[in-house]
Amino acid sequence: MSKQACASIALTKTLLNKALVISLSLTFSTSIFATTEDPHQQFSVNKNNTNKSTITWRPVVDVQAECEKESKRLGYGGFGYSVEACSFWDKSPLSNVCTIITAKTVNFHTVGHEIRHCFQGNFH
C-alpha cells in the first residue's frame, strides 16, 4: 500500500473517531434535557471499561468556558450546550487517565456522575 493510501486511511479513522465523539455528545445533550437523573439509581459495574484510572479533578471558576476549552484542545469541537461539569477520558493501554472539570463548589452527585464517566465512558 502506498504512503498516500496509508495517510488517507489514518485521516479517515481520525475523522470517524471525532464524528463518533460529536455524535455521542449530541445524543447526550438531547437525553440530558429530556430526563432527570436519579442520584440513587443503581447501575452495574459490569459495564466498566476499566476498574483503575488516574483521575485529575480541576475545580474552576467558569465551568462552561473550561469545558469548552478542553474539548476543543482535545479536538472534539466543544459542547454547544450548557454543562455543569465535564470529563475527558483516555482508555488507551498506556494512558488510562481521566480529567473531570467542575465548579469550585459542587455537589456529590455531579462529582460522582463525572467520575462514573472515567470508568464507564459514555454510559448515557
Side-chain angles (χ1 to χ4, degrees):
M1 187 179 301
S2 72
K3 287 182 182 179
Q4 211 171 21
C6 288
S8 177
I9 289 170
L11 177 60
T12 300
K13 285 182 180 179
T14 299
L15 293 174
L16 286 174
N17 285 339
K18 287 183 181 183
L20 175 62
V21 169
I22 290 168
S23 175
L24 291 172
S25 294
L26 291 174
T27 300
F28 166 69
S29 68
T30 303
S31 66
I32 195 167
F33 296 118
T35 62
T36 302
E37 285 185 340
D38 175 0
H40 301 288
Q41 178 184 5
Q42 300 285 313
F43 62 89
S44 173
V45 296
N46 291 334
K47 297 179 180 179
N48 285 9
N49 297 329
T50 185
N51 287 323
K52 184 177 181 180
S53 183
T54 301
I55 300 171
T56 301
W57 183 356
R58 287 179 30 203
V60 299
V61 173
D62 187 342
V63 172
Q64 188 71 42
E66 290 299 317
C67 286
E68 294 287 350
K69 181 178 165 184
E70 185 69 4
S71 176
K72 290 176 182 173
R73 184 185 76 77
L74 293 170
Y76 301 134
F79 286 89
Y81 54 88
S82 180
V83 298
E84 66 179 79
C86 59
S87 54
F88 302 92
W89 56 93
D90 176 1
K91 297 299 179 208
S92 63
L94 300 176
S95 175
N96 196 15
V97 298
C98 185
T99 299
I100 65 169
I101 299 172
T102 68
K104 290 189 176 202
T105 301
V106 64
N107 64 55
F108 186 72
H109 176 70
T110 299
V111 173
H113 177 102
E114 297 308 323
I115 289 176
R116 183 177 174 191
H117 281 297
C118 295
F119 293 98
Q120 293 189 337
N122 258 336
F123 62 86
H124 49 70

